[in-house]
Amino acid sequence: RDIDTAFVGAVFYNDGAEEPLLPEDRRVKAAMPELFQLVYLGDVGLDIKTFDTLDGAKEKMNSLEDVYGELGGIIFHDGRQVAERLELKYMQKSDFQDYLHRATQPPAPKPEPSEDALRTAVKD
């Protein structure tokens, strides 16, 4: 019998697409230029919180605690830095803006795998 998806069942195919840095609802909100984005160092690395006001973003930024000898964040508004609080050892200031840029990019459309690609995935 030929190997096909009806015979094998569900096949998990690695399409090579990266997982998004933020869930879609947070990505869309972080991309809104009228809001304030705090890019900060958290327990699991860089993250983004979005605020309606600069004061709200500053309050959160000033409450950030040391994570592995580093702390802080940068507040962006309309793509420009408006405030920062950084104590860095290993990270670079540019990492924060790069993260904001990458995290707010719309996801690339995922191509549907061909039948041949699925067969190869099953055989491997």
Side-chain angles (χ1 to χ4, degrees):
R1 178 171 182 185
D2 288 334
I3 295 177
D4 61 14
T5 55
F7 175 73
V8 175
V11 174
F12 297 96
Y13 174 73
N14 181 3
D15 59 7
E18 289 185 23
E19 287 295 317
L21 296 173
L22 297 174
E24 184 63 10
D25 59 332
R26 289 183 55 209
R27 182 198 69 78
V28 168
K29 195 171 181 182
M32 294 179 174
E34 68 273 14
L35 300 177
F36 295 86
Q37 294 79 29
L38 170 62
V39 182
Y40 68 97
L41 185 58
D43 291 338
V44 294
L46 290 175
D47 201 357
I48 299 173
K49 284 200 185 280
T50 304
F51 297 86
D52 294 330
T53 66
L54 178 58
D55 288 340
K58 281 185 175 180
E59 184 178 325
K60 173 64 177 172
M61 181 177 67
N62 291 330
S63 73
L64 295 172
E65 297 182 4
D66 182 285
V67 178
Y68 308 113
E70 298 185 295
L71 70 80
I74 299 176
I75 300 170
F76 296 92
H77 184 257
D78 197 17
R80 290 184 290 278
Q81 178 183 330
V82 295
E84 75 174 60
R85 176 180 174 232
L86 296 173
E87 294 178 24
L88 303 176
K89 286 185 179 180
Y90 308 106
M91 298 198 59
Q92 303 294 314
K93 185 175 173 180
S94 61
D95 294 335
F96 292 76
Q97 181 140 20
D98 292 345
Y99 185 82
L100 177 63
H101 177 73
R102 288 183 304 131
T104 57
Q105 295 300 304
K110 292 185 179 182
E112 290 294 319
S114 68
E115 194 69 27
D116 287 339
L118 290 174
R119 282 191 189 102
T120 301
V122 169
K123 290 178 184 177
D124 290 344

